[in-house]
Amino acid sequence: MRIHVINPNTTASMTAKIGYAAKAAASPGVEVRAVNPDFGPPSIEGYFDEAFSVPGLLAEIAKAPGADAFVIACFDDTGLEAARSATEAPVVGIGEAAFHMASLIAEKFSVVTTLSRSIAPIERNLAKYGLAARCARVRASNVPVLGLEEPGSDARRTIEAEIKRALLEDGAEAIVLGCAGMTDLVRDLERSVGAPVLDGVACAVSLAESLVRIGLKTSKRNTYAPPLAKAYAGDFARFSPK
């Protein structure tokens, strides 16, 4: 089984961190490859960055026709619907995966993400997935995504403090980390706060693996049907559906 994990931003150090977490979550014998596009934004912080990251994401999917499943390693589930239209293999977003996993172990969970501009996209996704009622609150730690990559950064302490506030003030029984760049913090944070802390990368790899094992693929009836053949203009000509 081959699972292709795509970080839709271009920051290679973050991709390496994501790859380590993905491989640790996979079963023995499962091949995990973590990649990122060579064009697009270095981080995805809000709707504007998201729009420019989708072409690179789709390009990476096109490079891996033999993959059994794909994981989109951006917590906003960037380009998830487009990706599902581009392949028959299962495509799992780390946000959706973490929400579902959290709902299986806690009545209420809170999300701790990076910047406040990410709160609305995450809340919209929770509503779309039918899980808004299970989320006590979406909180921002106000740590920029690239701040998670800075040596000596205070990011871990800042995120931990926000988690503790979520447990105290929101009535949350579990915490979902709202950024793939936080994946290396999950075990330390869980030990520190004394409550389940979920990393979407591990959750998504586990779900993607399960979908492949039971033989499920993305439905091509209606919503995720392949795009109709047409010629795109200008810089997007190379993405024209055949």
Side-chain angles (χ1 to χ4, degrees):
M1 184 191 305
R2 286 181 290 175
I3 298 178
H4 214 65
V5 180
I6 304 172
N7 170 20
N9 73 44
T10 60
T11 301
S13 58
M14 193 174 298
T15 304
K17 185 163 62 174
I18 289 166
Y20 181 84
K23 289 171 185 174
S27 298
V30 174
E31 179 186 337
V32 174
R33 186 173 179 223
V35 299
N36 58 258
D38 57 9
F39 64 98
S43 62
I44 300 170
E45 295 167 312
Y47 292 126
F48 191 84
D49 291 335
E50 182 178 359
F52 285 95
S53 68
V54 175
L57 165 69
L58 297 177
E60 291 303 318
I61 289 175
K63 290 178 189 175
D68 295 298
F70 294 91
V71 167
I72 298 178
C74 174
F75 197 80
D76 291 355
D77 292 341
T78 296
L80 179 59
E81 287 82 5
R84 286 177 174 161
S85 301
T87 177
E88 289 189 349
V91 183
V92 181
I94 66 169
E96 185 173 17
F99 300 148
H100 280 292
M101 290 284 205
S103 72
L104 297 176
I105 62 167
E107 177 62 27
K108 289 283 187 179
F109 60 87
S110 283
V111 179
V112 174
T113 188
T114 50
L115 300 180
S116 57
R117 70 185 63 187
S118 294
I119 292 175
I122 292 170
E123 288 177 338
R124 289 190 182 191
N125 282 347
L126 282 159
K128 180 169 66 176
Y129 303 148
L131 290 169
R134 302 295 296 277
C135 181
R137 184 174 173 184
V138 180
R139 289 174 166 265
S141 62
N142 290 313
V143 174
V145 172
L146 294 179
L148 297 165
E149 300 298 295
E150 293 175 5
S153 164
D154 225 18
R156 184 198 174 282
R157 237 180 325 214
T158 303
I159 293 164
E160 180 181 338
E162 197 64 38
I163 289 173
K164 288 179 177 177
R165 280 192 285 271
L167 294 171
L168 181 65
E169 298 170 10
D170 304 348
E173 299 161 347
I175 300 295
V176 172
L177 296 180
C179 179
M182 298 178 183
T183 185
D184 58 329
L185 305 178
V186 62
R187 294 284 76 88
D188 282 348
L189 289 171
E190 188 169 65
R191 282 192 292 269
S192 174
V193 304
V197 177
L198 290 87
D199 159 42
V201 174
C203 294
V205 168
S206 298
L207 285 177
E209 187 179 316
S210 297
L211 290 168
V212 175
R213 288 200 189 284
I214 61 177
L216 292 175
K217 295 182 180 294
T218 299
S219 173
K220 292 298 159 183
R221 292 180 63 86
N222 302 322
T223 307
Y224 299 133
L228 298 176
K230 65 191 76 172
Y232 290 0
D235 292 340
F236 291 121
R238 66 187 176 112
F239 293 100
S240 299
K242 300 290 190 292

